[in-house]
Structure formats: C-alpha cells, structure tokens
Amino acid sequence: MPRQNRVTPLGDLIAVPERGLVYGNRGCLHDDEGRIRRRWATQRWIACRLEFRGRHRGQLMQPGKFTELFFLDEATAFAAGHRPCALCRREDYRRFAAMFGAPGADAIDVRLHEERVAGPWEGEPADGAFVLDEGEPWLALDGELLRWTPGGYADRKPCPSRAQLITPPSLVEVLRAGWDGAVPLLHPSALGRIEA
C-alpha cells in the first residue's frame, strides 16, 4: 500500500504508487505508525537527489526520523516551496542561493516559508512554474499549460499571460533566470516523452 509521502504542487501529501524523480523532506511529519500528522515540522524544506553516495534507508518513515517525501520533478518541488539541498546538491545549492539573492540557508528558508503561507499569487507564469486553473495545478511551459498528475503531465491548453501562481514568487524568479539543476526539472512527460 502506498505511503502518504508523495507531494503535489500545492504541497499536499498524497498516497499514490508513483514515486517521482526527486526526493526531499520538511522534518518528521509522521507518527510512530507512519501516519501523517502535520504539514511541516521545520521551515527548512529541501529537495534532494534520489540517490547520494550510496546511502539508503531500508524502511521509510521510521519513528522519530524525517519523513521521506517524493516529487514528480523539481518543478513540483519548487511549486510546493522546496529548495535544493545543501548537502547532496551542494553545487546546485550554491548557484540557487546566488540566484535567490539571500545570504544563506536560514534567510532563504524564512522567505520561502513566508511565501508558502501567503500564496497563491497573481502573476505572469514562467516556464516551469505552476498555476492554479479551476482548482487544479497546471505547469506553464512553452506557452502552454500541462495538467499535473502524480505519474506525469497530461492535457494541454494555452497558457494565459497572467494567472494564479502556485510556485512561490522567489522561485518563479529563479525559474525565469534559467534554473537548471542536478535533478530533473521536468518529468519526461512534460516534453512529450514517456518514461520507461
């Protein structure tokens, strides 16, 4: 049975079999039985590599440990308000911090937390940002909106010039500046490819 640790662009945790291409956490969100009890335990929301230096935790959602989260791609992690990990994605983190324009992780995390709590926002979508359309998350890409699903992107329609943005404003600006990290920004389905 799937665990409730897959993250939507809205930051919600759902239980689906699809795991995604990006890993992350926001502290310990589960109880000793593995049930989700809160949305976050810290303001430090990070997005990580699926694999790093051969490290592997045998059992997910162990009592008292951080809750392992999975995202379809980095665009989904950004929409939910996560930033690159400073450990497993050190070079990404350094580039991200420079693009973000904050003096360090604490300042980045405080600003992102404020934006997560305040959203959504009205604005011009950037490629890789998410918008809310009829209550559903859609990815903006190349003048189109692609409907997010846990297993990939489906349904396309024209992207408006202004929309209700889900992705926090600071992260929209990072995307607008041409972000490209070590984890996949977009799931292959966004580019018309089927993942094998």
Side-chain angles (χ1 to χ4, degrees):
M1 184 161 109
R3 294 186 179 272
Q4 187 185 348
N5 63 347
R6 279 48 168 183
V7 186
T8 74
L10 295 166
D12 297 328
L13 303 179
I14 60 173
V16 294
E18 295 85 3
R19 195 171 99 166
L21 304 174
V22 178
Y23 176 75
N25 83 78
R26 44 178 100 145
C28 182
L29 313 180
H30 61 279
D31 63 18
D32 288 351
E33 282 76 45
R35 294 178 300 235
I36 298 298
R37 294 299 183 201
R38 56 185 164 203
R39 280 183 59 85
W40 69 82
T42 176
Q43 291 184 6
R44 197 169 306 279
W45 293 22
I46 60 172
C48 305
R49 298 172 185 264
L50 283 177
E51 296 179 17
F52 178 63
R53 296 183 183 166
R55 295 179 187 173
H56 178 74
R57 184 178 287 180
Q59 176 189 353
L60 298 181
M61 299 172 73
Q62 293 178 21
K65 304 290 184 184
F66 68 83
T67 303
E68 299 89 345
L69 303 175
F70 295 96
F71 307 87
L72 178 65
D73 52 22
E74 189 162 40
T76 303
F78 274 7
H82 289 248
R83 64 154 172 88
C85 175
L87 176 63
C88 70
R89 298 177 59 196
R90 189 71 178 159
E91 290 308 311
D92 280 358
Y93 170 75
R94 286 183 179 141
R95 282 186 299 102
F96 175 86
M99 293 171 87
F100 196 89
D106 290 340
I108 292 169
D109 294 335
V110 165
R111 185 179 331 157
L112 285 177
H113 188 72
E114 289 169 355
E115 292 179 1
R116 285 190 297 264
V117 172
W121 310 265
E122 184 71 24
E124 180 184 340
D127 280 352
F130 274 86
V131 304
L132 198 58
D133 188 67
E134 298 181 18
E136 296 293 321
W138 292 71
L139 174 77
L141 184 65
D142 296 331
E144 293 185 305
L145 292 180
L146 289 70
R147 185 174 55 84
W148 182 90
T149 73
Y153 296 97
D155 304 328
R156 295 173 183 259
K157 62 184 178 181
C159 183
S161 59
R162 293 194 62 79
Q164 191 175 25
L165 295 169
I166 299 169
T167 305
S170 296
L171 297 175
V172 170
E173 291 310 312
V174 167
L175 288 166
R176 204 177 306 286
W179 176 254
D180 184 31
V183 300
L185 176 63
L186 300 173
H187 187 270
S189 61
L191 306 172
R193 297 192 304 263
I194 306 292
E195 187 177 49

